[in-house]
Amino acid sequence: MDPRFPNLFILGAPKCGTTSLYRYLIQHPDVYFPFNKEPQFFCVDELYRKGLSFYLDTFFDGADRYSIKGDATPHYLYYEMVAARIAQMTKESPPKFLVILRDPVSRAYSHYWNMIKEGVETLSFEEALAAEQSRLDKFAPGSLEHLGANYVGAGMYARQLEAYLRYFPRDRFHILLQEDLKLGRETILDPIWEFLGVPRIQGVQIRMHNLAGAARLPALQRFVRQPSSFRRVLGRWLSPRMKFRFVSWLIAINTKVERYPPLDKMVASRLRMVFMEDICALEQILNRSLNHWK
């Protein structure tokens, strides 16, 4: 195994808090993450076909000097094919997984508003839920579009974790809930440092990242985010690092922090019943009560 290959993956559904967790970890001197915390190599076929050398040369050049090398692509949790791909490459030395999960109802609603911010979603939340299956039928199960449209399915955490547990032992996983991030520094981080096998450090700055927001110009957001000739030209003329920085800069200046309206209580109640069976199964995996999600 190439010593640059990541031995840590951060998993989670969209809008669960993986960005905050990643920003805590990169403050440790023994932990490496690439310039783009979400390489998406194992879940995007176009990237995966470029091969392992592309992945390591692009995102992990120089990472062999660190004891922990991480890939923080939260989407990996959604795709069973990712678990199989990682397992195939790590038979002799299974990696560790940090997983962060969120109340699936609030996660689905946050996901919906993120899709509005991205300039993709045009329906009301109730309409989008009603249209979900017909939308999913239009996309390949392994595509990013499938995940983007799957507000309910992306929150079926037990189902997704069970797919990973078919390939990796349970002790390779440290699983958090988003509400855990509100606890004290030692409560959150000391068990993580122990799980990773690195020394404890002091002074880690803890705050929430990637807060809810809206696009100032939705058309610009769609133009930057969606595949286009513009992005292909950038790919030819700029290195992956420079392309990422430029696109991130455009998105940042086009985004304003904005609270979205509260979820209708009746809609939330109906949606919670949809998740109930999966929440109960997740309790068994975590050995932890999730009554506050019920």
mmCIF file with all atom_site columns, all heavy atoms in Angstrom, residues 38 57 75 94 108 112 123 133 149-150 165 181 198 201 203 210 233 236 238 243 247 253 255 258 260 283 285:
data_model
loop_
_atom_site.group_PDB
_atom_site.id
_atom_site.type_symbol
_atom_site.label_atom_id
_atom_site.label_alt_id
_atom_site.label_comp_id
_atom_site.label_asym_id
_atom_site.label_entity_id
_atom_site.label_seq_id
_atom_site.pdbx_PDB_ins_code
_atom_site.Cartn_x
_atom_site.Cartn_y
_atom_site.Cartn_z
_atom_site.occupancy
_atom_site.B_iso_or_equiv
_atom_site.pdbx_formal_charge
_atom_site.auth_seq_id
_atom_site.auth_comp_id
_atom_site.auth_asym_id
_atom_site.auth_atom_id
_atom_site.pdbx_PDB_model_num
ATOM 1   N N   . GLU A 1 38  ? -13.036 17.152 0.156   1.00 0.00 ? 38  GLU A N   1
ATOM 2   C CA  . GLU A 1 38  ? -13.928 16.168 -0.453  1.00 0.00 ? 38  GLU A CA  1
ATOM 3   C C   . GLU A 1 38  ? -13.427 15.768 -1.848  1.00 0.00 ? 38  GLU A C   1
ATOM 4   O O   . GLU A 1 38  ? -13.975 16.199 -2.859  1.00 0.00 ? 38  GLU A O   1
ATOM 5   C CB  . GLU A 1 38  ? -15.347 16.719 -0.552  1.00 0.00 ? 38  GLU A CB  1
ATOM 6   C CG  . GLU A 1 38  ? -15.935 17.145 0.781   1.00 0.00 ? 38  GLU A CG  1
ATOM 7   C CD  . GLU A 1 38  ? -17.352 17.669 0.669   1.00 0.00 ? 38  GLU A CD  1
ATOM 8   O OE1 . GLU A 1 38  ? -18.013 17.388 -0.353  1.00 0.00 ? 38  GLU A OE1 1
ATOM 9   O OE2 . GLU A 1 38  ? -17.797 18.367 1.607   1.00 0.00 ? 38  GLU A OE2 1
ATOM 10  N N   . ASP A 1 57  ? -1.512  11.425 -6.238  1.00 0.00 ? 57  ASP A N   1
ATOM 11  C CA  . ASP A 1 57  ? -0.664  12.521 -6.706  1.00 0.00 ? 57  ASP A CA  1
ATOM 12  C C   . ASP A 1 57  ? -1.370  13.871 -6.589  1.00 0.00 ? 57  ASP A C   1
ATOM 13  O O   . ASP A 1 57  ? -0.731  14.889 -6.291  1.00 0.00 ? 57  ASP A O   1
ATOM 14  C CB  . ASP A 1 57  ? -0.268  12.297 -8.167  1.00 0.00 ? 57  ASP A CB  1
ATOM 15  C CG  . ASP A 1 57  ? 0.680   11.121 -8.345  1.00 0.00 ? 57  ASP A CG  1
ATOM 16  O OD1 . ASP A 1 57  ? 1.248   10.660 -7.341  1.00 0.00 ? 57  ASP A OD1 1
ATOM 17  O OD2 . ASP A 1 57  ? 0.838   10.660 -9.498  1.00 0.00 ? 57  ASP A OD2 1
ATOM 18  N N   . HIS A 1 75  ? -20.196 12.193 1.212   1.00 0.00 ? 75  HIS A N   1
ATOM 19  C CA  . HIS A 1 75  ? -21.051 11.426 0.298   1.00 0.00 ? 75  HIS A CA  1
ATOM 20  C C   . HIS A 1 75  ? -20.727 9.934  0.301   1.00 0.00 ? 75  HIS A C   1
ATOM 21  O O   . HIS A 1 75  ? -21.571 9.120  -0.068  1.00 0.00 ? 75  HIS A O   1
ATOM 22  C CB  . HIS A 1 75  ? -20.890 11.939 -1.140  1.00 0.00 ? 75  HIS A CB  1
ATOM 23  C CG  . HIS A 1 75  ? -21.293 13.372 -1.329  1.00 0.00 ? 75  HIS A CG  1
ATOM 24  N ND1 . HIS A 1 75  ? -21.863 14.120 -0.348  1.00 0.00 ? 75  HIS A ND1 1
ATOM 25  C CD2 . HIS A 1 75  ? -21.200 14.183 -2.416  1.00 0.00 ? 75  HIS A CD2 1
ATOM 26  C CE1 . HIS A 1 75  ? -22.100 15.342 -0.802  1.00 0.00 ? 75  HIS A CE1 1
ATOM 27  N NE2 . HIS A 1 75  ? -21.702 15.401 -2.041  1.00 0.00 ? 75  HIS A NE2 1
ATOM 28  N N   . PRO A 1 94  ? -7.148  -2.146 7.116   1.00 0.00 ? 94  PRO A N   1
ATOM 29  C CA  . PRO A 1 94  ? -8.406  -1.404 7.008   1.00 0.00 ? 94  PRO A CA  1
ATOM 30  C C   . PRO A 1 94  ? -8.279  -0.002 7.601   1.00 0.00 ? 94  PRO A C   1
ATOM 31  O O   . PRO A 1 94  ? -7.657  0.180  8.657   1.00 0.00 ? 94  PRO A O   1
ATOM 32  C CB  . PRO A 1 94  ? -9.391  -2.256 7.817   1.00 0.00 ? 94  PRO A CB  1
ATOM 33  C CG  . PRO A 1 94  ? -8.779  -3.607 7.886   1.00 0.00 ? 94  PRO A CG  1
ATOM 34  C CD  . PRO A 1 94  ? -7.299  -3.388 7.894   1.00 0.00 ? 94  PRO A CD  1
ATOM 35  N N   . ALA A 1 108 ? -32.893 16.373 6.381   1.00 0.00 ? 108 ALA A N   1
ATOM 36  C CA  . ALA A 1 108 ? -33.583 16.406 5.092   1.00 0.00 ? 108 ALA A CA  1
ATOM 37  C C   . ALA A 1 108 ? -34.005 17.821 4.737   1.00 0.00 ? 108 ALA A C   1
ATOM 38  O O   . ALA A 1 108 ? -33.866 18.254 3.582   1.00 0.00 ? 108 ALA A O   1
ATOM 39  C CB  . ALA A 1 108 ? -34.795 15.477 5.125   1.00 0.00 ? 108 ALA A CB  1
ATOM 40  N N   . TYR A 1 112 ? -32.653 20.135 1.691   1.00 0.00 ? 112 TYR A N   1
ATOM 41  C CA  . TYR A 1 112 ? -33.558 20.794 0.744   1.00 0.00 ? 112 TYR A CA  1
ATOM 42  C C   . TYR A 1 112 ? -33.154 22.256 0.537   1.00 0.00 ? 112 TYR A C   1
ATOM 43  O O   . TYR A 1 112 ? -33.033 22.721 -0.602  1.00 0.00 ? 112 TYR A O   1
ATOM 44  C CB  . TYR A 1 112 ? -34.988 20.699 1.264   1.00 0.00 ? 112 TYR A CB  1
ATOM 45  C CG  . TYR A 1 112 ? -35.952 21.667 0.624   1.00 0.00 ? 112 TYR A CG  1
ATOM 46  C CD1 . TYR A 1 112 ? -36.485 21.413 -0.647  1.00 0.00 ? 112 TYR A CD1 1
ATOM 47  C CD2 . TYR A 1 112 ? -36.336 22.844 1.280   1.00 0.00 ? 112 TYR A CD2 1
ATOM 48  C CE1 . TYR A 1 112 ? -37.362 22.308 -1.237  1.00 0.00 ? 112 TYR A CE1 1
ATOM 49  C CE2 . TYR A 1 112 ? -37.218 23.732 0.697   1.00 0.00 ? 112 TYR A CE2 1
ATOM 50  C CZ  . TYR A 1 112 ? -37.730 23.468 -0.562  1.00 0.00 ? 112 TYR A CZ  1
ATOM 51  O OH  . TYR A 1 112 ? -38.600 24.347 -1.156  1.00 0.00 ? 112 TYR A OH  1
ATOM 52  N N   . LEU A 1 123 ? -39.071 23.421 -6.182  1.00 0.00 ? 123 LEU A N   1
ATOM 53  C CA  . LEU A 1 123 ? -40.344 23.061 -5.577  1.00 0.00 ? 123 LEU A CA  1
ATOM 54  C C   . LEU A 1 123 ? -40.362 23.406 -4.092  1.00 0.00 ? 123 LEU A C   1
ATOM 55  O O   . LEU A 1 123 ? -39.314 23.645 -3.483  1.00 0.00 ? 123 LEU A O   1
ATOM 56  C CB  . LEU A 1 123 ? -40.599 21.560 -5.729  1.00 0.00 ? 123 LEU A CB  1
ATOM 57  C CG  . LEU A 1 123 ? -40.634 20.991 -7.153  1.00 0.00 ? 123 LEU A CG  1
ATOM 58  C CD1 . LEU A 1 123 ? -40.849 19.477 -7.114  1.00 0.00 ? 123 LEU A CD1 1
ATOM 59  C CD2 . LEU A 1 123 ? -41.707 21.667 -7.997  1.00 0.00 ? 123 LEU A CD2 1
ATOM 60  N N   . GLN A 1 133 ? -39.374 10.149 -5.557  1.00 0.00 ? 133 GLN A N   1
ATOM 61  C CA  . GLN A 1 133 ? -39.171 8.877  -6.240  1.00 0.00 ? 133 GLN A CA  1
ATOM 62  C C   . GLN A 1 133 ? -39.123 9.046  -7.748  1.00 0.00 ? 133 GLN A C   1
ATOM 63  O O   . GLN A 1 133 ? -38.287 8.425  -8.425  1.00 0.00 ? 133 GLN A O   1
ATOM 64  C CB  . GLN A 1 133 ? -40.267 7.871  -5.871  1.00 0.00 ? 133 GLN A CB  1
ATOM 65  C CG  . GLN A 1 133 ? -39.978 6.461  -6.375  1.00 0.00 ? 133 GLN A CG  1
ATOM 66  C CD  . GLN A 1 133 ? -38.625 5.937  -5.899  1.00 0.00 ? 133 GLN A CD  1
ATOM 67  O OE1 . GLN A 1 133 ? -38.362 5.913  -4.693  1.00 0.00 ? 133 GLN A OE1 1
ATOM 68  N NE2 . GLN A 1 133 ? -37.768 5.532  -6.816  1.00 0.00 ? 133 GLN A NE2 1
ATOM 69  N N   . ALA A 1 149 ? -31.039 14.530 -4.975  1.00 0.00 ? 149 ALA A N   1
ATOM 70  C CA  . ALA A 1 149 ? -32.503 14.509 -5.007  1.00 0.00 ? 149 ALA A CA  1
ATOM 71  C C   . ALA A 1 149 ? -33.109 13.657 -3.910  1.00 0.00 ? 149 ALA A C   1
ATOM 72  O O   . ALA A 1 149 ? -34.334 13.640 -3.749  1.00 0.00 ? 149 ALA A O   1
ATOM 73  C CB  . ALA A 1 149 ? -32.985 14.008 -6.373  1.00 0.00 ? 149 ALA A CB  1
ATOM 74  N N   . ASN A 1 150 ? -32.283 12.954 -3.130  1.00 0.00 ? 150 ASN A N   1
ATOM 75  C CA  . ASN A 1 150 ? -32.787 11.948 -2.203  1.00 0.00 ? 150 ASN A CA  1
ATOM 76  C C   . ASN A 1 150 ? -32.811 12.487 -0.776  1.00 0.00 ? 150 ASN A C   1
ATOM 77  O O   . ASN A 1 150 ? -32.003 12.102 0.074   1.00 0.00 ? 150 ASN A O   1
ATOM 78  C CB  . ASN A 1 150 ? -31.939 10.674 -2.283  1.00 0.00 ? 150 ASN A CB  1
ATOM 79  C CG  . ASN A 1 150 ? -32.699 9.454  -1.828  1.00 0.00 ? 150 ASN A CG  1
ATOM 80  O OD1 . ASN A 1 150 ? -33.804 9.554  -1.319  1.00 0.00 ? 150 ASN A OD1 1
ATOM 81  N ND2 . ASN A 1 150 ? -32.101 8.292  -2.001  1.00 0.00 ? 150 ASN A ND2 1
ATOM 82  N N   . LEU A 1 165 ? -20.515 -2.034 7.301   1.00 0.00 ? 165 LEU A N   1
ATOM 83  C CA  . LEU A 1 165 ? -20.164 -3.057 8.289   1.00 0.00 ? 165 LEU A CA  1
ATOM 84  C C   . LEU A 1 165 ? -20.050 -4.445 7.673   1.00 0.00 ? 165 LEU A C   1
ATOM 85  O O   . LEU A 1 165 ? -19.539 -5.369 8.308   1.00 0.00 ? 165 LEU A O   1
ATOM 86  C CB  . LEU A 1 165 ? -21.185 -3.052 9.427   1.00 0.00 ? 165 LEU A CB  1
ATOM 87  C CG  . LEU A 1 165 ? -21.139 -1.801 10.317  1.00 0.00 ? 165 LEU A CG  1
ATOM 88  C CD1 . LEU A 1 165 ? -22.324 -1.778 11.265  1.00 0.00 ? 165 LEU A CD1 1
ATOM 89  C CD2 . LEU A 1 165 ? -19.825 -1.722 11.084  1.00 0.00 ? 165 LEU A CD2 1
ATOM 90  N N   . LEU A 1 181 ? -21.386 17.950 18.790  1.00 0.00 ? 181 LEU A N   1
ATOM 91  C CA  . LEU A 1 181 ? -20.442 19.034 18.504  1.00 0.00 ? 181 LEU A CA  1
ATOM 92  C C   . LEU A 1 181 ? -20.660 20.232 19.417  1.00 0.00 ? 181 LEU A C   1
ATOM 93  O O   . LEU A 1 181 ? -19.801 21.114 19.506  1.00 0.00 ? 181 LEU A O   1
ATOM 94  C CB  . LEU A 1 181 ? -20.563 19.471 17.035  1.00 0.00 ? 181 LEU A CB  1
ATOM 95  C CG  . LEU A 1 181 ? -20.250 18.405 15.987  1.00 0.00 ? 181 LEU A CG  1
ATOM 96  C CD1 . LEU A 1 181 ? -20.369 18.992 14.587  1.00 0.00 ? 181 LEU A CD1 1
ATOM 97  C CD2 . LEU A 1 181 ? -18.859 17.822 16.185  1.00 0.00 ? 181 LEU A CD2 1
ATOM 98  N N   . VAL A 1 198 ? -3.417  9.423  18.151  1.00 0.00 ? 198 VAL A N   1
ATOM 99  C CA  . VAL A 1 198 ? -2.520  10.581 18.124  1.00 0.00 ? 198 VAL A CA  1
ATOM 100 C C   . VAL A 1 198 ? -2.578  11.283 19.469  1.00 0.00 ? 198 VAL A C   1
ATOM 101 O O   . VAL A 1 198 ? -3.555  11.147 20.216  1.00 0.00 ? 198 VAL A O   1
ATOM 102 C CB  . VAL A 1 198 ? -2.904  11.566 16.994  1.00 0.00 ? 198 VAL A CB  1
ATOM 103 C CG1 . VAL A 1 198 ? -2.747  10.906 15.631  1.00 0.00 ? 198 VAL A CG1 1
ATOM 104 C CG2 . VAL A 1 198 ? -4.341  12.074 17.181  1.00 0.00 ? 198 VAL A CG2 1
ATOM 105 N N   . ILE A 1 201 ? -4.167  17.362 21.898  1.00 0.00 ? 201 ILE A N   1
ATOM 106 C CA  . ILE A 1 201 ? -3.639  18.718 21.758  1.00 0.00 ? 201 ILE A CA  1
ATOM 107 C C   . ILE A 1 201 ? -4.609  19.689 22.420  1.00 0.00 ? 201 ILE A C   1
ATOM 108 O O   . ILE A 1 201 ? -5.789  19.409 22.578  1.00 0.00 ? 201 ILE A O   1
ATOM 109 C CB  . ILE A 1 201 ? -3.406  19.111 20.288  1.00 0.00 ? 201 ILE A CB  1
ATOM 110 C CG1 . ILE A 1 201 ? -4.719  19.064 19.489  1.00 0.00 ? 201 ILE A CG1 1
ATOM 111 C CG2 . ILE A 1 201 ? -2.353  18.224 19.642  1.00 0.00 ? 201 ILE A CG2 1
ATOM 112 C CD1 . ILE A 1 201 ? -4.595  19.663 18.099  1.00 0.00 ? 201 ILE A CD1 1
ATOM 113 N N   . GLY A 1 203 ? -6.144  23.819 22.777  1.00 0.00 ? 203 GLY A N   1
ATOM 114 C CA  . GLY A 1 203 ? -6.380  25.046 22.014  1.00 0.00 ? 203 GLY A CA  1
ATOM 115 C C   . GLY A 1 203 ? -7.110  24.868 20.709  1.00 0.00 ? 203 GLY A C   1
ATOM 116 O O   . GLY A 1 203 ? -7.112  25.789 19.877  1.00 0.00 ? 203 GLY A O   1
ATOM 117 N N   . ASN A 1 210 ? -19.944 26.012 7.883   1.00 0.00 ? 210 ASN A N   1
ATOM 118 C CA  . ASN A 1 210 ? -20.844 25.687 6.773   1.00 0.00 ? 210 ASN A CA  1
ATOM 119 C C   . ASN A 1 210 ? -22.298 25.934 7.163   1.00 0.00 ? 210 ASN A C   1
ATOM 120 O O   . ASN A 1 210 ? -23.169 25.076 6.979   1.00 0.00 ? 210 ASN A O   1
ATOM 121 C CB  . ASN A 1 210 ? -20.653 24.230 6.341   1.00 0.00 ? 210 ASN A CB  1
ATOM 122 C CG  . ASN A 1 210 ? -21.093 24.003 4.907   1.00 0.00 ? 210 ASN A CG  1
ATOM 123 O OD1 . ASN A 1 210 ? -21.286 24.948 4.150   1.00 0.00 ? 210 ASN A OD1 1
ATOM 124 N ND2 . ASN A 1 210 ? -21.265 22.746 4.545   1.00 0.00 ? 210 ASN A ND2 1
ATOM 125 N N   . VAL A 1 233 ? -13.028 24.177 -19.176 1.00 0.00 ? 233 VAL A N   1
ATOM 126 C CA  . VAL A 1 233 ? -11.912 25.066 -19.520 1.00 0.00 ? 233 VAL A CA  1
ATOM 127 C C   . VAL A 1 233 ? -11.032 25.300 -18.299 1.00 0.00 ? 233 VAL A C   1
ATOM 128 O O   . VAL A 1 233 ? -9.798  25.275 -18.390 1.00 0.00 ? 233 VAL A O   1
ATOM 129 C CB  . VAL A 1 233 ? -12.446 26.414 -20.071 1.00 0.00 ? 233 VAL A CB  1
ATOM 130 C CG1 . VAL A 1 233 ? -11.314 27.431 -20.168 1.00 0.00 ? 233 VAL A CG1 1
ATOM 131 C CG2 . VAL A 1 233 ? -13.068 26.202 -21.442 1.00 0.00 ? 233 VAL A CG2 1
ATOM 132 N N   . ARG A 1 236 ? -8.716  22.504 -17.787 1.00 0.00 ? 236 ARG A N   1
ATOM 133 C CA  . ARG A 1 236 ? -7.583  22.421 -18.721 1.00 0.00 ? 236 ARG A CA  1
ATOM 134 C C   . ARG A 1 236 ? -6.494  23.434 -18.393 1.00 0.00 ? 236 ARG A C   1
ATOM 135 O O   . ARG A 1 236 ? -5.309  23.170 -18.581 1.00 0.00 ? 236 ARG A O   1
ATOM 136 C CB  . ARG A 1 236 ? -8.074  22.635 -20.156 1.00 0.00 ? 236 ARG A CB  1
ATOM 137 C CG  . ARG A 1 236 ? -8.843  21.443 -20.728 1.00 0.00 ? 236 ARG A CG  1
ATOM 138 C CD  . ARG A 1 236 ? -8.946  21.532 -22.240 1.00 0.00 ? 236 ARG A CD  1
ATOM 139 N NE  . ARG A 1 236 ? -9.725  22.682 -22.666 1.00 0.00 ? 236 ARG A NE  1
ATOM 140 C CZ  . ARG A 1 236 ? -11.039 22.652 -22.917 1.00 0.00 ? 236 ARG A CZ  1
ATOM 141 N NH1 . ARG A 1 236 ? -11.709 21.520 -22.739 1.00 0.00 ? 236 ARG A NH1 1
ATOM 142 N NH2 . ARG A 1 236 ? -11.671 23.733 -23.317 1.00 0.00 ? 236 ARG A NH2 1
ATOM 143 N N   . LEU A 1 238 ? -6.176  25.315 -15.330 1.00 0.00 ? 238 LEU A N   1
ATOM 144 C CA  . LEU A 1 238 ? -5.764  25.455 -13.933 1.00 0.00 ? 238 LEU A CA  1
ATOM 145 C C   . LEU A 1 238 ? -5.488  24.094 -13.319 1.00 0.00 ? 238 LEU A C   1
ATOM 146 O O   . LEU A 1 238 ? -6.113  23.095 -13.685 1.00 0.00 ? 238 LEU A O   1
ATOM 147 C CB  . LEU A 1 238 ? -6.862  26.160 -13.119 1.00 0.00 ? 238 LEU A CB  1
ATOM 148 C CG  . LEU A 1 238 ? -7.249  27.580 -13.527 1.00 0.00 ? 238 LEU A CG  1
ATOM 149 C CD1 . LEU A 1 238 ? -8.377  28.092 -12.636 1.00 0.00 ? 238 LEU A CD1 1
ATOM 150 C CD2 . LEU A 1 238 ? -6.049  28.518 -13.463 1.00 0.00 ? 238 LEU A CD2 1
ATOM 151 N N   . LYS A 1 243 ? -8.057  25.447 -9.423  1.00 0.00 ? 243 LYS A N   1
ATOM 152 C CA  . LYS A 1 243 ? -9.466  25.396 -9.822  1.00 0.00 ? 243 LYS A CA  1
ATOM 153 C C   . LYS A 1 243 ? -10.357 25.374 -8.594  1.00 0.00 ? 243 LYS A C   1
ATOM 154 O O   . LYS A 1 243 ? -11.360 26.096 -8.524  1.00 0.00 ? 243 LYS A O   1
ATOM 155 C CB  . LYS A 1 243 ? -9.718  24.161 -10.685 1.00 0.00 ? 243 LYS A CB  1
ATOM 156 C CG  . LYS A 1 243 ? -11.173 23.968 -11.081 1.00 0.00 ? 243 LYS A CG  1
ATOM 157 C CD  . LYS A 1 243 ? -11.362 22.673 -11.849 1.00 0.00 ? 243 LYS A CD  1
ATOM 158 C CE  . LYS A 1 243 ? -12.828 22.392 -12.124 1.00 0.00 ? 243 LYS A CE  1
ATOM 159 N NZ  . LYS A 1 243 ? -13.028 21.094 -12.835 1.00 0.00 ? 243 LYS A NZ  1
ATOM 160 N N   . VAL A 1 247 ? -13.110 28.336 -7.748  1.00 0.00 ? 247 VAL A N   1
ATOM 161 C CA  . VAL A 1 247 ? -14.535 28.027 -7.644  1.00 0.00 ? 247 VAL A CA  1
ATOM 162 C C   . VAL A 1 247 ? -15.034 28.291 -6.222  1.00 0.00 ? 247 VAL A C   1
ATOM 163 O O   . VAL A 1 247 ? -16.126 28.839 -6.027  1.00 0.00 ? 247 VAL A O   1
ATOM 164 C CB  . VAL A 1 247 ? -14.811 26.568 -8.060  1.00 0.00 ? 247 VAL A CB  1
ATOM 165 C CG1 . VAL A 1 247 ? -16.248 26.162 -7.742  1.00 0.00 ? 247 VAL A CG1 1
ATOM 166 C CG2 . VAL A 1 247 ? -14.535 26.381 -9.549  1.00 0.00 ? 247 VAL A CG2 1
ATOM 167 N N   . ILE A 1 253 ? -18.277 34.386 -2.360  1.00 0.00 ? 253 ILE A N   1
ATOM 168 C CA  . ILE A 1 253 ? -18.747 35.764 -2.535  1.00 0.00 ? 253 ILE A CA  1
ATOM 169 C C   . ILE A 1 253 ? -20.200 35.800 -3.006  1.00 0.00 ? 253 ILE A C   1
ATOM 170 O O   . ILE A 1 253 ? -20.868 36.831 -2.885  1.00 0.00 ? 253 ILE A O   1
ATOM 171 C CB  . ILE A 1 253 ? -17.853 36.546 -3.526  1.00 0.00 ? 253 ILE A CB  1
ATOM 172 C CG1 . ILE A 1 253 ? -17.916 35.931 -4.933  1.00 0.00 ? 253 ILE A CG1 1
ATOM 173 C CG2 . ILE A 1 253 ? -16.425 36.627 -3.012  1.00 0.00 ? 253 ILE A CG2 1
ATOM 174 C CD1 . ILE A 1 253 ? -17.193 36.768 -5.983  1.00 0.00 ? 253 ILE A CD1 1
ATOM 175 N N   . THR A 1 255 ? -22.504 33.792 -1.702  1.00 0.00 ? 255 THR A N   1
ATOM 176 C CA  . THR A 1 255 ? -23.328 33.191 -0.645  1.00 0.00 ? 255 THR A CA  1
ATOM 177 C C   . THR A 1 255 ? -23.492 34.159 0.514   1.00 0.00 ? 255 THR A C   1
ATOM 178 O O   . THR A 1 255 ? -22.531 34.790 0.955   1.00 0.00 ? 255 THR A O   1
ATOM 179 C CB  . THR A 1 255 ? -22.683 31.886 -0.134  1.00 0.00 ? 255 THR A CB  1
ATOM 180 O OG1 . THR A 1 255 ? -22.580 30.962 -1.216  1.00 0.00 ? 255 THR A OG1 1
ATOM 181 C CG2 . THR A 1 255 ? -23.543 31.265 0.963   1.00 0.00 ? 255 THR A CG2 1
ATOM 182 N N   . GLU A 1 258 ? -28.108 33.059 5.808   1.00 0.00 ? 258 GLU A N   1
ATOM 183 C CA  . GLU A 1 258 ? -29.543 33.365 5.874   1.00 0.00 ? 258 GLU A CA  1
ATOM 184 C C   . GLU A 1 258 ? -30.282 32.194 6.523   1.00 0.00 ? 258 GLU A C   1
ATOM 185 O O   . GLU A 1 258 ? -30.085 31.048 6.126   1.00 0.00 ? 258 GLU A O   1
ATOM 186 C CB  . GLU A 1 258 ? -30.079 33.617 4.463   1.00 0.00 ? 258 GLU A CB  1
ATOM 187 C CG  . GLU A 1 258 ? -31.524 34.038 4.403   1.00 0.00 ? 258 GLU A CG  1
ATOM 188 C CD  . GLU A 1 258 ? -31.956 34.364 2.977   1.00 0.00 ? 258 GLU A CD  1
ATOM 189 O OE1 . GLU A 1 258 ? -31.641 35.483 2.507   1.00 0.00 ? 258 GLU A OE1 1
ATOM 190 O OE2 . GLU A 1 258 ? -32.596 33.508 2.343   1.00 0.00 ? 258 GLU A OE2 1
ATOM 191 N N   . TYR A 1 260 ? -33.359 29.792 7.143   1.00 0.00 ? 260 TYR A N   1
ATOM 192 C CA  . TYR A 1 260 ? -34.545 29.400 6.393   1.00 0.00 ? 260 TYR A CA  1
ATOM 193 C C   . TYR A 1 260 ? -35.724 29.253 7.354   1.00 0.00 ? 260 TYR A C   1
ATOM 194 O O   . TYR A 1 260 ? -35.538 29.101 8.567   1.00 0.00 ? 260 TYR A O   1
ATOM 195 C CB  . TYR A 1 260 ? -34.299 28.128 5.584   1.00 0.00 ? 260 TYR A CB  1
ATOM 196 C CG  . TYR A 1 260 ? -33.608 26.996 6.300   1.00 0.00 ? 260 TYR A CG  1
ATOM 197 C CD1 . TYR A 1 260 ? -34.278 26.197 7.223   1.00 0.00 ? 260 TYR A CD1 1
ATOM 198 C CD2 . TYR A 1 260 ? -32.269 26.699 6.028   1.00 0.00 ? 260 TYR A CD2 1
ATOM 199 C CE1 . TYR A 1 260 ? -33.648 25.142 7.858   1.00 0.00 ? 260 TYR A CE1 1
ATOM 200 C CE2 . TYR A 1 260 ? -31.627 25.655 6.674   1.00 0.00 ? 260 TYR A CE2 1
ATOM 201 C CZ  . TYR A 1 260 ? -32.330 24.880 7.584   1.00 0.00 ? 260 TYR A CZ  1
ATOM 202 O OH  . TYR A 1 260 ? -31.693 23.838 8.215   1.00 0.00 ? 260 TYR A OH  1
ATOM 203 N N   . GLU A 1 283 ? -30.151 2.700  16.534  1.00 0.00 ? 283 GLU A N   1
ATOM 204 C CA  . GLU A 1 283 ? -29.907 2.584  17.968  1.00 0.00 ? 283 GLU A CA  1
ATOM 205 C C   . GLU A 1 283 ? -29.148 1.302  18.297  1.00 0.00 ? 283 GLU A C   1
ATOM 206 O O   . GLU A 1 283 ? -28.266 1.292  19.167  1.00 0.00 ? 283 GLU A O   1
ATOM 207 C CB  . GLU A 1 283 ? -31.230 2.603  18.730  1.00 0.00 ? 283 GLU A CB  1
ATOM 208 C CG  . GLU A 1 283 ? -31.898 3.971  18.790  1.00 0.00 ? 283 GLU A CG  1
ATOM 209 C CD  . GLU A 1 283 ? -33.186 3.942  19.580  1.00 0.00 ? 283 GLU A CD  1
ATOM 210 O OE1 . GLU A 1 283 ? -33.998 3.017  19.354  1.00 0.00 ? 283 GLU A OE1 1
ATOM 211 O OE2 . GLU A 1 283 ? -33.388 4.836  20.420  1.00 0.00 ? 283 GLU A OE2 1
ATOM 212 N N   . ILE A 1 285 ? -27.066 -0.314 16.303  1.00 0.00 ? 285 ILE A N   1
ATOM 213 C CA  . ILE A 1 285 ? -25.689 -0.185 15.813  1.00 0.00 ? 285 ILE A CA  1
ATOM 214 C C   . ILE A 1 285 ? -24.860 0.674  16.759  1.00 0.00 ? 285 ILE A C   1
ATOM 215 O O   . ILE A 1 285 ? -23.710 0.359  17.084  1.00 0.00 ? 285 ILE A O   1
ATOM 216 C CB  . ILE A 1 285 ? -25.684 0.418  14.394  1.00 0.00 ? 285 ILE A CB  1
ATOM 217 C CG1 . ILE A 1 285 ? -26.343 -0.553 13.402  1.00 0.00 ? 285 ILE A CG1 1
ATOM 218 C CG2 . ILE A 1 285 ? -24.251 0.737  13.945  1.00 0.00 ? 285 ILE A CG2 1
ATOM 219 C CD1 . ILE A 1 285 ? -26.508 0.022  12.009  1.00 0.00 ? 285 ILE A CD1 1
#
